[in-house]
Amino acid sequence: LQKILILLHVTTSVVVGKTLMILFPNAMKRYILKQGEKSRMNENPKFSYENWGPTFFSFNYLLFVLRVKWKRLEDEAYEGHPAPNTPVVTFNGEVCHLFDFMQGNRPLILNFGSCT
């Protein structure tokens, strides 16, 4: 049911976005560039709007957003429920899952942090 709701939401957003891009191309360009400022996409002079702007609200964009949102459904953790077996990437670039690091019935401890 969650996947169907996400499909409806993302599809509606893409259809509305694409329609607005057709009807109001300059306003949508300004809006998308404003969104690009948040992600710092606009800071690279060799990566102009013409390279990435038209991809917004395309069919490939729809598929990408759906894959990401559906994958995130599997990653949600809830108090009192089993932990999700999320995919992780090792330093060697190998993709495995969190539970692959468990050894017997020993607890698996995850330490998140950084060194600055």
Side-chain angles (χ1 to χ4, degrees), residues 29-66:
K29 180 178 179 179
R30 285 192 305 274
Y31 173 76
I32 291 171
L33 285 172
K34 190 78 163 167
Q35 297 302 313
E37 289 174 7
K38 293 178 184 176
S39 64
R40 304 173 84 189
M41 289 174 64
N42 301 349
E43 293 180 9
N44 185 347
K46 295 180 181 178
F47 194 53
S48 68
Y49 171 82
E50 287 71 25
N51 292 337
W52 55 270
T55 65
F56 275 67
F57 309 117
S58 65
F59 184 69
N60 286 337
Y61 174 86
L62 169 73
L63 294 178
F64 174 77
V65 173
L66 284 176

Side-chain angles (χ1 to χ4, degrees), residues 1-114:
L1 180 61
Q2 285 180 318
K3 284 188 175 185
I4 292 171
L5 292 174
I6 290 172
L7 172 66
L8 291 173
H9 179 260
V10 172
T11 303
T12 302
S13 299
V14 169
V15 168
V16 169
K18 190 65 161 180
T19 303
L20 291 173
M21 282 184 82
I22 292 168
L23 295 175
F24 309 104
N26 293 330
M28 286 302 289
K29 180 178 179 179
R30 285 192 305 274
Y31 173 76
I32 291 171
L33 285 172
K34 190 78 163 167
Q35 297 302 313
E37 289 174 7
K38 293 178 184 176
S39 64
R40 304 173 84 189
M41 289 174 64
N42 301 349
E43 293 180 9
N44 185 347
K46 295 180 181 178
F47 194 53
S48 68
Y49 171 82
E50 287 71 25
N51 292 337
W52 55 270
T55 65
F56 275 67
F57 309 117
S58 65
F59 184 69
N60 286 337
Y61 174 86
L62 169 73
L63 294 178
F64 174 77
V65 173
L66 284 176
R67 272 190 298 249
V68 168
K69 288 189 174 279
W70 286 347
K71 188 68 183 155
R72 286 186 181 165
L73 285 175
E74 300 170 12
D75 294 343
E76 292 185 25
Y78 300 100
E79 186 176 344
H81 291 83
N85 191 18
T86 5
V88 292
V89 180
T90 66
F91 288 118
N92 300 331
E94 177 187 345
V95 177
C96 50
H97 287 82
L98 195 59
F99 294 168
D100 296 340
F101 296 97
M102 293 184 70
Q103 297 175 0
N105 61 355
R106 293 177 56 193
L108 178 65
I109 298 172
L110 302 177
N111 185 5
F112 298 95
S114 64

